[in-house]
Amino acid sequence: MSSSDTTEPRQTPAEIQAEIDREQRQFAETLDALEEAARPGNIARRQIGKAKERGSRLVDEARALVLGGGAVRLDSRLVEPEEGSIVVKGDEEVITTYQSRGRLPPEAVVLAVGIGTVVAVGVVAWAVRRKRK
């Protein structure tokens, strides 16, 4: 018999048990992370944060379009999650880059103040008229 004919175990039972224990700990940590991510309160918090972020982004873009000043969106891209992180559907992050257009011309400011005044007077007149009826 040559030495290649004999088979020796590659790992001792203690090493196998240690590997099993490591895998079980890692599995338990993964389950805990999934449980934390799947809690309704945490999901709601993430979704509210995303809605606020999207809303503020839309407001910035609308302001830039309406006023002709403010910021202009240059680029939007998805950010890949960190390796090993747990991603729930819809958890992508969008990074948007803006560039300032500069100051508003005085005519635009006067126009915006005028429109705001007309709207405020109209709302007050409507409220007074409604109260009289």
Side-chain angles (χ1 to χ4, degrees):
M1 256 192 192
S2 68
S3 63
S4 64
D5 291 341
T6 62
T7 57
E8 296 180 22
R10 293 187 179 150
Q11 291 180 317
T12 66
E15 291 172 334
I16 293 171
Q17 184 62 45
E19 184 178 344
I20 290 171
D21 291 342
R22 264 193 320 273
E23 292 296 325
Q24 285 177 337
R25 273 194 308 278
Q26 185 178 7
F27 184 65
E29 290 171 5
T30 302
L31 285 177
D32 290 344
L34 284 171
E35 179 184 3
E36 183 70 24
R39 284 194 180 134
N42 293 340
I43 292 170
R45 213 174 287 104
R46 281 194 308 270
Q47 295 303 324
I48 288 170
K50 285 180 189 178
K52 285 181 181 178
E53 179 185 331
R54 288 180 188 136
S56 68
R57 190 171 50 237
L58 288 173
V59 166
D60 289 342
E61 290 179 14
R63 183 180 303 128
L65 287 173
V66 170
L67 299 177
V72 178
R73 183 176 67 190
L74 297 178
D75 178 42
S76 288
R77 59 187 162 74
L78 284 174
V79 176
E80 294 295 322
E82 295 179 22
E83 187 176 329
S85 63
I86 298 169
V87 180
V88 179
K89 182 178 178 183
D91 270 353
E92 307 87 24
E93 285 192 46
V94 176
I95 301 295
T96 304
T97 307
Y98 292 93
Q99 180 180 14
S100 177
R101 282 191 181 172
R103 296 183 57 104
L104 290 175
E107 299 85 19
V109 174
V110 170
L111 179 64
V113 169
I115 290 173
T117 303
V118 168
V119 169
V121 168
V123 169
V124 169
W126 173 77
V128 168
R129 189 174 190 191
R130 186 171 175 217
K131 190 175 182 182
R132 287 183 183 170
K133 288 184 179 185

